Amino acid sequence: MRIGIFDSGVGGLTVSKEVAIKMPFNDIIYFGDSIHLPYGNKSIQNILTYSRNNVQFLIEKKCQIIVVACNTSTAVAIEILKKEFHPLPIFGVIEGGVREALKKSKSLKIGVLGTLRTIKSSSYKNKILQYSPRAKVYEVASPLLVPIIEEGFKHKAITIAIIKSYLEAIVLKIDSLILGCTHYPLIKKLIKTTYPGLQVIDSAKATSSFLAKKIPPTNPRNRKIEIITNDDNEVFRRIAKKIFPKEKVTLLKNENST
Ligand code: DGL
């Protein structure tokens, strides 16, 4: 089955990479809606419109399964997308991360880092409490992390200082931390070295393991990976090259959404 994956920009390639590794026999089409990045501080209405357009675009590309790699889109739009595009299977990134955190956490005291919109939606918290009502969830919006990661986090000391300032109020209370944003797996190592005692849950890894169990392999010979964006920018190309060194990036000429 052909898997369509979308995100607000390049970040969702972290999810695509894990999907590509765990599901080597499925075609993958990735769409990065870079023109509208960031989703994390946009209105719910706009995030919904962009997300709908992205799904529509991937349907036109003959995708039979959609993965919403963006945590913000998942938080705000997944239930609506599932209803509107029924019976198309649509998966988000929150479910996998939550299941993994509940497996790994001993104290059931779990932290979540995410964009403003993801944290405001309480989607991670609600999902954790749905599965485990005894859990305690500490959510922190960390909007500075996306831009610093996109900069290539050359300024390691500043990145560590930002991580510490976001986590200092909760880090002694929790034993596990969910990286609730597409970009954060790129600083997972840094978070782990800063807080070695913490279980760090990477939603990209958790989501791909979850999907691999659900989706049958279909193209055992020469599966294809296509990366498409609607904005030709250096950040997209640099990060895409780092994550998928061999795949070329196609620029979408006619913007699919405005
Ligand atoms: N892709 C977004 C997420 O995972 C992060 C970047 C943005 O704000 O658009 O929430």
Side-chain angles (χ1 to χ4, degrees):
M1 281 174 123
R2 178 179 283 192
I3 308 173
I5 306 180
F6 79 81
D7 179 37
S8 53
V10 72
L13 286 178
T14 56
V15 179
S16 309
K17 182 73 182 185
E18 294 300 329
V19 171
I21 293 169
K22 298 221 175 69
M23 302 170 75
F25 303 128
N26 290 84
D27 290 339
I28 295 174
I29 298 194
Y30 179 83
F31 178 61
D33 182 20
S34 298
I35 283 183
H36 298 117
L37 178 89
Y39 283 10
N41 48 17
K42 296 268 174 14
S43 67
I44 292 177
Q45 197 46 51
N46 276 332
I47 297 166
L48 201 50
T49 304
Y50 304 151
S51 304
R52 272 189 193 112
N53 291 344
N54 298 339
V55 174
Q56 196 54 51
F57 173 72
L58 291 169
I59 291 174
E60 279 155 27
K61 289 273 171 194
K62 311 251 175 310
C63 295
Q64 296 132 306
I65 288 172
I66 304 294
V67 179
V68 182
C70 180
N71 287 258
T72 309
S73 280
T74 305
V76 167
I78 191 92
E79 294 310 325
I80 298 170
L81 295 176
K82 280 183 183 174
K83 273 193 200 121
E84 287 182 359
F85 291 95
H86 180 81
L88 180 71
I90 302 185
F91 297 90
V93 275
I94 292 180
E95 179 87 27
V98 164
R99 283 175 188 262
E100 189 69 12
L102 289 173
K103 238 191 267 163
K104 296 236 167 101
S105 173
K106 293 206 168 80
S107 66
L108 288 182
K109 291 184 177 140
I110 299 167
V112 182
L113 284 183
T115 65
L116 279 172
R117 192 54 73 195
T118 298
I119 298 306
K120 269 196 160 171
S121 75
S122 296
S123 297
Y124 271 101
K125 188 175 186 170
N126 294 342
K127 191 52 91 183
I128 292 171
L129 295 178
Q130 182 190 326
Y131 290 132
S132 182
R134 282 191 306 114
K136 278 230 169 295
V137 187
Y138 301 86
E139 297 185 292
V140 181
S142 35
L144 287 176
L145 289 177
V146 167
I148 203 149
I149 291 166
E150 296 217 330
E151 270 301 304
F153 54 97
K154 288 164 236 138
H155 313 288
K156 204 168 151 189
I158 299 176
T159 313
I160 293 174
I162 293 174
I163 292 169
K164 282 188 172 165
S165 78
Y166 281 136
L167 287 179
E168 69 184 353
I170 65 162
V171 77
L172 294 177
K173 297 180 184 154
I174 59 176
D175 72 350
S176 312
L177 177 72
I178 299 178
L179 304 182
C181 173
T182 46
H183 287 58
Y184 304 167
L186 296 169
I187 52 165
K188 185 175 173 183
K189 267 197 195 138
L190 214 53
I191 297 177
K192 281 185 127 172
T193 19
T194 312
Y195 299 110
L198 209 55
Q199 288 281 356
V200 181
I201 317 295
D202 174 340
S203 286
K205 271 201 185 350
T207 300
S208 56
S209 308
F210 183 70
L211 285 174
K213 283 184 210 137
K214 303 222 165 230
I215 301 171
T218 43
N219 191 354
R221 296 246 163 94
N222 51 348
R223 76 94 168 265
K224 281 187 220 79
I225 298 178
E226 223 182 312
I227 301 173
I228 306 169
T229 178
N230 53 8
D231 186 48
D232 191 13
N233 68 70
E234 282 163 16
V235 170
F236 194 102
R237 288 190 184 276
R238 175 169 39 78
I239 298 180
K241 190 142 197 73
K242 194 169 162 193
I243 301 178
F244 282 101
K246 289 193 191 129
E247 274 70 27
K248 79 172 180 40
V249 173
T250 307
L251 177 66
L252 189 67
K253 294 277 174 0
N254 301 312
E255 191 195 340
N256 77 310
S257 54
T258 49

